[in-house]
Structure formats: C-alpha cells, structure tokens
Amino acid sequence: MDGGEYPLAAVTSFRSFRVNSNLEASFRMKRNHLSLVNKVVQASPPVKQPKLESCSSFDQTHVYTVLLDWGSLPHHVVLRVFQYLPLIDRARASSVCRRWNEVFHVPDLWRKFEFELNQSATGSHLSSPHPDLIRQIIKKHAAHLQYVSFKVDGSTESAEAACDILSQLVNCSLQTLGLISTAKPSFMNVSKSHFVAALTVVIVNSTSSSSIKIEDTPADDPSLKILVANNSDTLRRLKMSSCPHVSSDGILCVADHCQGLRELALNYSMLSDALLLALSRETHVSLEHLRIDVVSENPGQVGFPSIEKQSWRALTRRSPAVNVVLYFFLYEEELETFFREDTPVTHLYFGRSVSRAVLGRIGLNCPRLIELVVCANGLQALDNELICIGEHCHSLTALGLSECEVSCSALIEFVRRCGRRLTQLSITEDVLTPDGDYSLDEMHTEVSKHLGRIWFPDVTPLW
C-alpha cells in the first residue's frame, strides 16, 4: 500500500482480526460467500481432480485440504467472486490474504462498477462505503472505469455524495453512465448547479460515451449541449425522462448532432414534430427504441403537444422496426386528445384508469400495437373494445388487464381472433364475469384451446 493511502482494514473495521490471524477472516468469508463461490466454481471450466485411489488416508486428507484452501482458488474464480461484491465487501475480502488483495487491484475488476449510496436513517438495504475508501479507489482505478452506475436511496445526502464522486472522475473516460434512484426525490433535491457541475466533469472527460441514463435529475439544456459537443459520434442511448429543466430544444439538439442514436427515452412534453423529423433523416441511423412517459405537468391538464400524422409516418419509414413505447400516468379526462389518428405505438401501458372510449380508439388507430397493459378501468365492461383491439391490432402478442370487467364470451372471442400469437395473457380472475354462454370453467377451456396451451387467469392476492 502506498504511503498516505487510506488503509482498507481501517475502513472496514478489520484491523483487529488481521492482527489476530487471517484464518478467522477466511472463515468469515466462507460463511458469507460460500453459496456465491459455489455458483462461480460451477460456472468455471472444470478442473482435473487428482486420483485418490492410490493415496493413503493422510495423503487424501492433505489433498482435500489443499483443494479447499480459499487462498489457493484459481485466479479467475477469485476475480468472479469479487465481481459479485459491492465495494465495501470487496474491501473486506481484500483483507483475507495477499493473493486476494492482488485480485482487488486487477484493472479488469474495475471496468464495470456500481456505487451504492444510502443513509442509514432511511432503512435502505444498500451499504455506503467510507468516502476515504472511495477516494482511494478512484485514485488507483479511475482510468479503468468504463461502465459506471450510481444507485442511491431517496435522501438528498446520498444524491449529493454521488455528485461528489462524479466530480472526482477527472481521469476517466466512461462509456456508460447510469444514475439510479431507488426512491424519489433524490437527485431532484440536489442543487441544480451542483449536479450540472458534477455531470459536466464526467461529460468533458469522457469523449466516447455510448449510453447515458440521467432520468429524474436536474440536467438541463446547456449540459446536453456539452454532451453533444464531446460525444456526438459515439452516443447510442440516452434516457432523460422526468428532467424538468430539459426542453424540446435541448432534445432536438441531441437528435440533430448524434446521428448514431438508437435509443431515446423522454417525457411527452419534449416530443415535437421537429424531433421526429430529425430522427427520420437519411443521415440518421434507424431508431430502435423510443420510450415516452406521458405525465401531466399540472393537475387536470388537458392540453398536450399535438404530433402530426406525417411526422410519425416519417419516423416509421426511416425506422420500420422501431419500438414506440408509451407509459401513461394520466387521469381519464386528460386522455381525450390521444389516439384520434394513427399512432405507431407498439407497447402501451396505462398506470391509471382509462375509459372505454380511449380503448376503442386504440383498437382503431394503433395497428402496430404489440403489448397492452391496462391497470384499471372501473366497472365498465370492455367487451366491444377488447374485441375491436383483437380484430385490428394484428401484431398484438401480450395483454394485461387488472381492475377491469370483461365477460367470458368477450375474452374467448378476443383470444380466438388473436390465436396462438398471443404469447402473454395476464388477467386477474376478478376481471372475468360469467355470462349466459360460458362459465369460468368453460371459459378457461376454450381460451386454452385457442392459445394452444393450458391457461388459467391469475389468482388475486388476499392482501
């Protein structure tokens, strides 16, 4: 260990047992990670075992002792063990013996890493490593980091700690960066200037980034322009949903200059005809995935940006296989402006109640639909709307219904129209109502016949 570096044993409270013996540490690691090592060893290439038939009883015991000595595990097995561990456990494992400490500093171990940060008061299962340990790792391995993510809880302190670490990554060149909040508000409570300054450090020093995930953060248009200026030739994936400081102009700047962009996630408020047309130019690669979160900025909002049918058509002509995924988090009255014209949506999720009228328009105006999930509809029977979807959405392969009402006859007719291409059918049992033609038992028999496999409705949990 270089002079002046923070001792790993002090960080992890392992100084005392290292003085006693490494044997105690070995037993601790055996107890905590035995199942992990077994899995890694099973996945590793087979090792030729010594023949024991000609060995004496003493020799056999000696051979088994050698094989079970954790310090003698093959290098690639120890490396795989370390890859499964969070930073604080890696540091503890590095204290077991000299061989494990050497593996702890192998460059390959640090190419892909997730920083887990939390405050103990939140009760999170995540464990935060000591700041001095993080500084030591960054000092030694910043140049090796390529695929990095930060997982934080909902506390402002954890988000600020993540920004502090980002600010230290001045000697790295990340290919992927992901900021993940396990609970809100997290990054949104951090000072905008603090967050943008930390993000800028990484963007400026990483000139070959291919994937950026900064959803639910205070990123803004100027930070996007810096991203474009440094990574326009390499950026392939950008996820920026729920970034209130980013405008449609900021996203348009990305589409204009990042010609290799294949995946994009954003809020509906950022969507525009200009953006879709920019993604449809001949100089732009075919888009593979477009995710749009439809969230109202104000309670009761009924006005949303209108997208011309020609803009959607231009996108699908340039990218005929693109997945257009829409997540709706709106109330029924806020959905009135949607699906009145052809919409090339392929995956559609409703997180709140949706009216029969909207579902009827989906059947008529979403011919590319592959997957539909409706979380709630109330007590209005969806028989005609469901049959219409089955008749017109010829690519539909997955359907999920909950807190709705559908008759057994309507479900059978829907499944008959879809046939065996309907590979996923998830409907809770309380959604289905028997009618004069079919009971619940008769219904599941008929549905199974048309699907070509045994099918039963999902059981509603008691809690």
Side-chain angles (χ1 to χ4, degrees), residues 352-394:
R352 293 174 180 165
S353 181
V354 54
S355 67
R356 291 177 56 190
V358 173
L359 290 174
R361 295 200 297 269
I362 289 172
L364 297 175
N365 296 311
C366 300
R368 300 178 76 244
L369 191 63
I370 296 173
E371 182 172 354
L372 173 64
V373 175
V374 179
C375 292
N377 170 261
L379 299 178
Q380 301 176 343
L382 303 179
D383 293 2
N384 294 332
E385 291 73 22
L386 188 62
I387 293 173
C388 179
I389 290 172
E391 179 179 359
H392 294 93
C393 301
H394 298 153

Side-chain angles (χ1 to χ4, degrees), residues 197-256:
L199 180 63
T200 301
V201 169
V202 177
I203 292 174
V204 169
N205 288 278
S206 301
T207 58
S208 59
S209 295
S210 62
S211 177
I212 303 291
K213 175 182 170 63
I214 46 178
E215 298 176 315
D216 294 298
T217 68
D220 57 7
D221 288 353
S223 58
L224 281 188
K225 292 180 180 179
I226 297 174
L227 174 65
V228 168
N230 289 272
N231 299 274
S232 61
D233 294 334
T234 59
L235 191 62
R236 300 291 180 265
R237 301 172 184 84
L238 178 63
K239 297 184 178 181
M240 294 204 61
S241 298
S242 301
C243 294
H245 301 294
V246 174
S247 69
S248 55
D249 290 337
I251 292 291
L252 180 59
C253 176
V254 175
D256 278 335

Side-chain angles (χ1 to χ4, degrees), residues 152-346:
V152 303
D153 59 12
S155 67
T156 303
E157 293 80 4
S158 297
E160 289 177 342
C163 292
D164 291 339
I165 297 174
L166 283 172
S167 300
Q168 300 175 52
L169 299 180
V170 295
N171 296 319
C172 68
S173 183
L174 302 184
Q175 293 187 29
T176 68
L177 171 65
L179 303 182
I180 305 167
S181 299
T182 59
K184 293 183 178 180
S186 196
F187 287 104
M188 291 306 302
N189 268 5
V190 176
S191 162
K192 178 173 174 287
S193 58
H194 184 197
F195 177 84
V196 171
L199 180 63
T200 301
V201 169
V202 177
I203 292 174
V204 169
N205 288 278
S206 301
T207 58
S208 59
S209 295
S210 62
S211 177
I212 303 291
K213 175 182 170 63
I214 46 178
E215 298 176 315
D216 294 298
T217 68
D220 57 7
D221 288 353
S223 58
L224 281 188
K225 292 180 180 179
I226 297 174
L227 174 65
V228 168
N230 289 272
N231 299 274
S232 61
D233 294 334
T234 59
L235 191 62
R236 300 291 180 265
R237 301 172 184 84
L238 178 63
K239 297 184 178 181
M240 294 204 61
S241 298
S242 301
C243 294
H245 301 294
V246 174
S247 69
S248 55
D249 290 337
I251 292 291
L252 180 59
C253 176
V254 175
D256 278 335
H257 295 88
C258 299
Q259 304 297 322
L261 196 66
R262 295 186 179 275
E263 297 184 17
L264 178 62
L266 69 164
N267 276 27
Y268 193 84
S269 59
M270 304 177 195
L271 194 64
S272 65
D273 292 301
L275 174 62
L276 294 179
L277 294 175
L279 296 171
S280 306
R281 293 172 185 159
E282 291 298 324
T283 55
H284 201 287
V285 300
S286 294
L287 197 67
E288 296 175 354
H289 196 90
L290 176 62
R291 169 178 166 164
I292 305 167
D293 288 355
V294 190
V295 183
S296 58
E297 298 180 356
N298 303 302
Q301 178 181 350
V302 294
F304 289 87
S306 60
I307 305 299
E308 297 290 337
K309 183 165 53 176
Q310 292 80 1
S311 301
W312 285 120
R313 286 179 177 176
L315 177 67
T316 54
R317 279 197 302 267
R318 178 59 184 154
S319 305
V322 61
N323 286 320
V324 180
V325 184
L326 268 64
Y327 284 83
F328 279 89
F329 302 96
L330 302 178
Y331 295 103
E332 285 190 18
E333 61 272 15
E334 299 171 327
L335 290 166
E336 289 306 313
T337 59
F338 293 94
F339 308 113
R340 294 192 175 275
E341 293 183 333
D342 280 0
T343 306
V345 60
T346 57

